[in-house]
Amino acid sequence: MTQVRKWIPDQHGAWAMLAVPFLAGTFLAPRPGWAHAALFAAWLLGYVAVFHAQQWLRLRARGLRSARRHARPAVVFGAAFAVTGVPLAVLYPWLAAAALLAAPFVAVNTYHARRGRERALVNGLAAVVPACGMLMVAAGLGGLGPARSWEPAVACLLYFAGTVPYVKTMIRERNSRAYRVGSVTYHALALAAAACLSPWLALPFTAYLARAAALPGRGLRVPLVGAVELACATALLATLLLAF
């Protein structure tokens, strides 16, 4: 069990991005059920398997022996994903089509991982799209069609896409004026777009704009940055369930 815990990626921001859209889609749907629990397990297992496979590719491309430590968890979690996901695909064949739609974005992430460019802006944005698309998948599994689930999915996309440049302004690009201006500009546009989806969304998106404008340059520690984003993601989930 200790070894398995060591295999779990410590990408804290990724876990919120994986969970919030899925949970929103599940609880917005009129018929949440056991299939959602199975799909959520498959979704998380698939993420961990892909993470380790990409790390294996990245390190192997550089000829590093440390790549081997990612091989076993990639296989173990990949097998667990298959055991959980294949029966769901048999019962709900449209899930396989949804997975194919996500494949190009996973390919972009894999390419950047192999090149050692996982922190690239494009790579982060590519990861956001299928994660937010899972809202529509979870909603569809519970009987809520695309005509009613696309708006909360877009709201998730607006928020999580904004976290990519914002987090950079707090950590790796903390001294970049261009990133700060770009982040604030994006959040202002996202606020306008979100308010068009629902007036309720103006509340959290105003807070997202305020934190993008006020927090960079204040020297916040990484754990505090993560805690703020966890609160922001929780506020988004609550607002989505209220608004839609």
Side-chain angles (χ1 to χ4, degrees), residues 85-233:
V86 170
L88 281 171
V90 172
L91 291 172
Y92 306 96
W94 61 270
L95 289 175
L100 288 176
L101 291 175
F105 300 97
V106 176
V108 170
N109 294 151
T110 302
Y111 169 79
H112 281 85
R114 191 175 187 279
R115 297 289 299 273
R117 299 178 58 194
E118 294 165 294
R119 304 298 180 183
L121 183 64
V122 171
N123 189 54
L125 295 174
V128 167
V129 176
C132 295
M134 282 302 292
L135 188 151
M136 298 182 71
V137 174
L141 194 62
L144 187 69
R148 294 183 58 192
S149 63
W150 72 268
E151 290 179 317
V154 170
C156 283
L157 186 63
L158 289 171
Y159 166 67
F160 285 107
T163 64
V164 179
Y166 164 70
V167 170
K168 289 185 181 297
T169 67
M170 299 298 293
I171 304 174
R172 294 179 180 273
E173 301 290 345
R174 62 172 65 91
N175 296 320
S176 172
R177 176 174 173 78
Y179 258 98
R180 289 191 189 183
V181 172
S183 176
V184 171
T185 300
Y186 171 84
H187 280 85
L189 295 173
L191 168 58
C196 290
L197 295 173
S198 168
W200 285 105
L201 288 171
L203 297 174
F205 276 85
T206 297
Y208 304 154
L209 173 59
R211 67 96 156 83
L215 296 186
R218 295 188 177 275
L220 273 65
R221 295 184 178 182
V222 173
L224 183 54
V225 174
V228 170
E229 289 314 292
L230 179 60
C232 288

Side-chain angles (χ1 to χ4, degrees), residues 36-102:
H36 284 95
L39 182 60
F40 192 46
W43 174 231
L44 298 182
L45 290 167
Y47 162 72
V48 178
V50 169
F51 170 84
H52 283 290
Q54 290 174 346
Q55 295 304 306
W56 178 82
L57 281 172
R58 179 178 66 85
L59 296 171
R60 187 171 181 271
R62 286 153 183 75
L64 299 177
R65 296 179 63 184
S66 56
R68 292 184 297 180
R69 74 173 185 264
H70 293 285
R72 182 178 295 179
V75 171
V76 170
F77 283 107
F81 164 75
V83 168
T84 309
V86 170
L88 281 171
V90 172
L91 291 172
Y92 306 96
W94 61 270
L95 289 175
L100 288 176
L101 291 175

